[in-house]
């Protein structure tokens, strides 16, 4: 029995006490007098701690329940803020008084390619989940423009703090798509080096990363660098205390951080109205920094607005909030059934605003792209899908002992002890134990 | 009497509690139309309305903090935390406010809040969806902590937790959610804070709760095949722990192995080992052993089968205890 050796002190101790069967407790006087109940005070037994069993004060449900307010209480479509838009859903180039952009045909084609490849990668991941190769997938379908537009606005030295859905931003940062799949396959919890692409690990706990981005930006400012930091988060996340605290800290310290909220209209099953009575970008005003709402399905507008926001941050003007108004076309994740809470008609409406279709229309209309170009991007996306598919299938399971790796930077005696015990336990099977 | 899953039993418990007391509210993320990500609150909003089954903003501190306020106003909120790993934004409200307000008011106010947490691993999930944080709550005076292992307990324990006047952290074994069992709604429930001998035996006691009860019952079955008679105690309640039932069992079997998914270091098993050693010192033939998680983050899902205590690891500890 190999494990008995691990407890020699117990063995000897038990031998030592064996045979003793009584124990003597010296009588000691009480130092504190026992308090007796005063006159009129209930004398309670331990079984009856006393108190009311009626659930507290008597309040009727009627008197305190607030009737759900009519939609008139929140800003209605009449005062619905104007979106910054540079490309209409039909693919027509329009101008905006504050935000403009001038891209070469090559740059425009590049944005198109990024979006198509990202969508293709995303679709491949969804089907890999269906095939059992991934445990879960959080699709970005519909949010390509928000992610590529903002991702391509970044400089190399800028730093990104993503949620778990920023596959398009990762693409822009040059993170190998296969790297993103490890945590969804269940072979690691992220695993890539955040510093090699200035792209932090995905964060699942909603809102946390906005504070990390703020702190990182405070560090950038302390260093006197002119880099900017961008924190991605969702409409649901905007309710978290951490996000409010990130707004406070960044404003107080004038931190060079851009808060990039993808308002995709849903936080799992809850529509944005459950999170906020004002458009999310307007939250910034209360913290003392600017906010802007951009058409999140318009890659040109997102690029222009994010560039401006990053410039605002890096030139010492402090944080800025960008709300990219977009739509989550897929269920929340592959575990979700969105038919339980949203109507097909809503999807159909947003389908008409598709980010890729509108850029394709613009490219064609302006004569910047021909069939050969579109076919070449299609072929490239097939290649990418194939590479991802094969790469995932070959992704090895981690070694069991990896459980004990990297728990601490400087090591830890308990981890060492448990690692050794577990190795011994596993070895006992090998030896035919 | 009916066969139902733990999910269904919890759903029925919420439904019956809301039916019998208009002050009972259900609140949390996605508990309304969606019925919760595990469907525990399925159909409740449809039947009780949005005033009583409340989809909250995505903010756990807000959920528990407002539940405290609602309780002060006479309501009985049952809040759902979507997954174990997401309770921590609410940890401050739970520890500094919910747990202590009764004492601070010298008993004048009561906080009948139930915090439901689907907990522990085994479902192949991503990070933060498989945690076992029960010791972090059981350590806090003012909170009661329980964890059912089967549909009947799920039903009755939730009803009792809601009916009681103390805050209860209610740990639901998510990987057993779809296990079926009998629920007798007209029966007399066992006390909320009593353990249950789930299988009688004479050679060693296995103590567990929530998801690990099933593993221990299987271990006892396997051990029986080798001629060893194991008793299994389903603890059910972690604060308070029913040490009397456990003591009685250990005085008979003279050996105890405590099993949980949570890390062994400073886990509930540590407290149980210490107390039982104190109570049963002269009966014990072996030190109380513990089987559980390691002092390491819950691993990625491809490793969880090896990480989680299973039949082999439980039986290995049984061997060790019997070899003393
Ligand atoms: C602190 C915390 N609470 C709950 C969850 C469970 N959860 C995961 S995603 C999600 C909704 C997020 O919505 P949103 O912020 O709008 O981002 P989206 O998923 O739409 O991109 C919830 C509630 C979580 N991950 N973290
Ligand atoms: Mg959202």
């Amino acid at each position: 029995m190999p494990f008995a050796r691990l407890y020699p002190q117990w063995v000897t101790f038990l031998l030592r006490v064996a045979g003793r069967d009584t124990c003597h407790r010296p009588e000691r006087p009480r130092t504190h007098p026992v308090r007796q109940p005063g006159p009129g005070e209930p004398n309670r037994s331990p079984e009856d701690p006393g108190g009311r069993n009626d659930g507290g004060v008597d309040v009727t449900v009627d008197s305190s329940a607030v009737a759900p307010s009519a939609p008139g209480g929140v800003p209605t479509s009449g005062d619905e803020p104007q979106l910054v838009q540079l490309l209409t859903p039909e693919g027509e180039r329009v101008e905006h008084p504050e935000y403009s952009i001038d891209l070469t045909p090559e740059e425009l084609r590049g944005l198109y390619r990024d979006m198509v490849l990202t969508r293709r990668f995303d679709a491949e991941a969804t089907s890999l989940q269906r095939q059992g190769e991934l445990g879960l997938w959080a699709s970005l379908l519909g949010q390509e423009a928000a992610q590529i537009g903002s991702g391509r606005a970044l400089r190399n030295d800028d730093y990104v703090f993503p949620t778990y859905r920023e596959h398009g931003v990762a693409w822009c940062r040059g993170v190998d798509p296969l790297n993103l799949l490890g945590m969804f396959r269940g072979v690691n919890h992220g695993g890539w080096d955040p510093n090699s692409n200035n792209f932090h690990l995905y964060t699942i706990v909603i809102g946390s990363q906005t504070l990390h981005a703020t702190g990182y930006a405070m560090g950038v400012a302390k260093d006197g660098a002119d880099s900017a930091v961008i924190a991605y988060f969702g409409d649901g996340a905007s309710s978290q205390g951490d996000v409010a605290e990130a707004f406070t800290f960044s404003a107080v310290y004038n931190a060079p951080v851009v808060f990039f909220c993808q308002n995709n209209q849903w936080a799992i099953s809850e529509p944005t109205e459950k999170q906020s009575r004002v458009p999310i970008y307007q939250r910034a005003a209360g913290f003392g920094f600017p906010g802007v709402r951009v058409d999140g399905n318009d890659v040109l507008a997102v690029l222009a607005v994010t560039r401006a926001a990053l410039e605002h941050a890096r030139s010492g003007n402090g944080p800025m909030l960008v709300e990219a108004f977009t739509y989550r076309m897929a269920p929340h994740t592959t575990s979700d059934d969105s038919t339980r809470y949203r109507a097909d008609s809503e999807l159909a409406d947003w389908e008409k605003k598709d980010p890729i279709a509108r850029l394709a229309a613009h490219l064609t209309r302006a004569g910047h792209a021909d069939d050969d170009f579109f076919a070449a991007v299609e072929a490239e996306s097939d290649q990418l899908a194939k590479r991802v598919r094969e790469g995932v299938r070959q992704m090895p399971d981690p070694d069991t002992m990896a459980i004990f790796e990297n728990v601490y930077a400087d090591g830890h005696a308990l981890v060492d002890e448990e690692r050794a015990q577990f190795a011994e336990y596993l070895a006992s099977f090998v030896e035919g134990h | 009497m009916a066969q139902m899953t733990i999910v269904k039993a919890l759903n029925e418990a919420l439904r019956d509690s809301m039916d019998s007391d208009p002050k009972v509210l259900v609140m949390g993320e996605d508990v309304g139309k969606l019925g919760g990500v595990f469907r525990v609150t399925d159909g409740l909003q449809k039947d009780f309305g949005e005033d009583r089954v409340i989809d909250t903003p995505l903010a756990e501190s807000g959920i528990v903090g407002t539940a405290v306020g609602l309780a002060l106003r006479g309501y009985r909120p049952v809040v759902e935390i979507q997954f174990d790993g997401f309770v921590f934004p609410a940890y401050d409200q739970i520890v500094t406010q919910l747990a202590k307000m009764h004492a601070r008011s010298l008993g004048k106010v009561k906080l009948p809040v139930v915090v439901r947490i689907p907990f522990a691993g085994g479902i192949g999930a991503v990070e933060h969806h498989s945690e076992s944080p029960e010791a972090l709550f059981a350590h806090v005076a003012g909170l009661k902590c329980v964890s059912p292992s089967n549909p009947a307990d799920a039903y009755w324990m939730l009803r009792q937790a809601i009916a009681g006047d103390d805050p209860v952290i209610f740990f639901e074994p998510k990987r057993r959610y779809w296990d079926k069992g009998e629920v007798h709604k007209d029966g007399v429930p066992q006390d909320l804070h009593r353990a249950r001998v789930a299988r009688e035996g004479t050679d060693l006691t296995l103590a567990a709760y929530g998801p690990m009860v099933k593993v221990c019952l299987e271990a006892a079955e396997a051990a029986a095949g080798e001629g060893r008679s194991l008793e299994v105690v389903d603890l059910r309640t972690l604060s308070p722990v029913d040490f009397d039932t456990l003591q009685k069992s250990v005085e008979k079997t003279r050996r105890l192995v405590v099993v949980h998914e949570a890390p062994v270091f400073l886990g509930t098993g540590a407290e149980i080992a210490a107390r039982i050693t104190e109570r049963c010192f002269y009966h014990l033939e072996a030190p109380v052993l513990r089987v559980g998680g390691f002092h390491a983050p819950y691993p990625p899902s491809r490793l969880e089968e090896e990480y989680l205590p299973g039949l082999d690891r439980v039986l290995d500890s049984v061997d060790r205890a019997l070899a003393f």
Side-chain angles (χ1 to χ4, degrees), chain A residues 3 7 20 51-53 55 59 64 185-186 189 236 240 268-270 275 340 397 400 408 418 425, chain B residues 23 30 34 42 56-58 60 73-76 110 165 282 294-295 298 300-302 306 312-313 320:
Chain A
F3 282 92
Y7 295 90
R20 272 195 0 201
R52 297 165 59 170
N53 285 310
V59 185
S64 55
R185 186 173 168 85
H189 289 317
Q240 279 289 8
I268 309 188
S269 73
E270 297 197 24
Q275 314 290 346
R340 289 177 74 100
D397 280 357
T400 304
Y408 294 89
E418 291 190 346
Y425 165 77
Chain B
K23 299 295 170 61
D30 305 289
L34 185 64
D42 192 23
T56 64
L58 206 178
E60 288 77 9
R73 184 68 186 182
Y75 287 86
R76 286 180 179 269
K110 301 201 168 73
D165 278 337
Y282 300 109
F294 305 112
H295 192 67
Y298 194 89
S301 61
R302 296 253 167 175
E306 283 154 289
D312 285 335
R313 276 177 63 203
R320 285 166 50 210

Side-chain angles (χ1 to χ4, degrees), chain A residues 234-236 262-268:
Chain A
D235 43 288
Q262 286 170 87
N263 177 355
N264 61 7
Q265 314 303 324
W266 292 94
I268 309 188

